[in-house]
Amino acid sequence: MTRPRKNLPGTHVTSHAPCYGDPGFAIADDQWDTGKDLFDLCAPLLYVCGGCPYRAPCIRQVVPAKNEFDGICGGRIWLNGAIVYTLPDADPGELPAPVIRKACGTAAGSRAHRRAVEQQCPKCLPFYRPGPNPLDAEDETSQQLELPDVA
Ligand code: SF4
Ligand SMILES: [Zn+2]
């Protein structure tokens, strides 16, 4: 679910942000149905984040993982609080600092960081494996729902 922004539409951090006032950065829930629809709305605008020096503060302010955010934030496209696309030059260090858990230093610890969409701690980093992209899961579901051709 998209949470309302505190400031003007499209303003995540400051009026100096390149997305300031751009309604494309405040996508309403009724503008899209599937994750693919959302991606198609966001992808043409994502380049704007490419020159933005506020990517880390943007993510800290929106807290997309916790708020199950949909849309563009911090150089990434988010669906239900998960990242579905990241700008190639985005740095994992822009994500929130890792919470240290008992499982740190194991694959489970690494997965916990990944689920929280935070940085990997140094002990978990060797265990890091990218997670599934929710858009891929959506593709599989739609393929499963396709009716077989009837000759
Ligand atoms: S990172 Fe992107 S969404 Fe966030 S303030 Fe910068 S341009 Fe706007
Ligand atoms: Zn860890």
Side-chain angles (χ1 to χ4, degrees):
M1 230 180 101
T2 307
R3 297 283 186 268
R5 302 280 159 74
K6 287 180 198 148
N7 306 314
L8 287 173
T11 307
H12 290 298
V13 180
T14 158
S15 59
H16 300 295
C19 64
Y20 181 75
D22 186 332
F25 284 75
I27 294 170
D29 287 343
D30 63 3
Q31 284 179 266
W32 57 281
D33 288 322
T34 66
K36 176 79 171 50
D37 297 340
L38 179 77
F39 179 85
D40 290 345
L41 282 173
C42 294
L45 293 171
L46 190 61
Y47 76 94
V48 175
C49 294
C52 181
Y54 305 111
R55 292 202 295 232
C58 182
I59 293 171
R60 276 203 301 277
Q61 178 166 304
V62 176
V63 202
K66 190 167 167 223
N67 289 328
E68 300 178 352
F69 176 76
D70 302 308
I72 299 175
C73 172
R76 291 138 171 102
I77 299 174
W78 304 74
L79 173 64
N80 205 20
I83 295 170
V84 296
Y85 185 79
T86 301
L87 278 177
D89 75 334
D91 184 334
E94 293 159 356
L95 297 174
V99 172
I100 303 303
R101 304 177 177 86
K102 276 189 188 163
C104 277
T106 67
S110 173
R111 284 197 300 274
H113 294 308
R114 198 184 71 205
R115 277 195 298 271
V117 200
E118 60 195 27
Q119 295 170 38
Q120 297 282 316
C121 80
K123 283 164 72 180
C124 288
L125 200 53
F127 297 95
Y128 175 70
R129 301 284 177 277
N133 186 324
L135 287 184
D136 295 340
E138 196 171 75
D139 277 354
E140 279 161 27
T141 308
S142 60
Q143 276 165 20
Q144 283 163 13
L145 291 176
E146 266 175 30
L147 294 174
D149 287 334
V150 179

